Amino acid sequence: MANIIEGLKYTKEHEWARIEGDIVITGITDYAQSELSDIVMVDPPKIGTQIKAGDAIGTIEAVKAVTDLFAPVSGEVIEINERVIKEPGIINKDPYNEGWLYKIKMSNPAEVESLLSAEQYKELIAGR
């Protein structure tokens, strides 16, 4: 069973979002990393990029697939986790802490309301 953390928000595309004021720290869920298996490369959005909720803004590559990264909220990318660029396997080991991908300064905090709760995300992946 995938590890789903209470208190985080989730997208239908299997990203998680930790809201800290107007900053959102994001990454892929434990479910997503287990489906991808061995992650070999991350191509996140560049710092300073203006992103829109729901847009494909980067890619994550595993041995068996390449998948898009989707923005959970709109805003500006303000930080990238450089460690996952050098050691993408960290995402497989610790997707919610050391394996975070990037930080967004939100331009529309109301978008957080459209994200899934931990309970809603559990229901989403239960049917798979």
Side-chain angles (χ1 to χ4, degrees):
M1 185 68 187
N3 181 18
I4 298 166
I5 300 192
E6 292 294 330
L8 296 180
K9 294 290 193 172
Y10 297 88
T11 70
K12 291 183 173 104
E13 296 80 27
H14 311 290
E15 274 90 12
W16 58 265
R18 180 178 297 123
I19 317 305
E20 296 183 354
D22 64 347
I23 304 299
V24 175
I25 303 163
T26 191
I28 65 166
T29 65
D30 186 51
Y31 173 82
Q33 73 76 24
S34 68
E35 289 290 298
L36 286 167
S37 74
D38 297 327
I39 295 170
V40 295
M41 193 187 90
V42 177
D43 184 19
K46 307 283 179 255
I47 292 174
T49 304
Q50 294 293 325
I51 58 175
K52 197 167 161 249
D55 282 358
I57 54 167
T59 57
I60 192 160
E61 185 173 337
V63 172
K64 61 182 182 179
V66 176
T67 188
D68 287 328
L69 294 171
F70 293 92
V73 295
S74 301
E76 179 183 355
V77 177
I78 58 165
E79 189 177 335
I80 303 291
N81 183 354
E82 296 292 340
R83 189 163 170 214
V84 298
I85 310 283
K86 295 180 186 86
E87 303 171 58
I90 292 170
I91 299 165
N92 293 119
K93 295 181 190 83
D94 189 6
Y96 296 112
N97 293 301
E98 289 184 46
W100 66 275
L101 298 176
Y102 55 94
K103 294 182 183 180
I104 305 161
K105 183 171 176 48
M106 282 190 282
S107 59
N108 183 2
E111 289 175 343
V112 169
E113 301 307 314
S114 65
L115 298 174
L116 304 175
S117 67
E119 199 53 47
Q120 290 168 317
Y121 186 69
K122 282 179 192 161
E123 289 172 20
L124 175 77
I125 64 172
R128 293 179 184 238

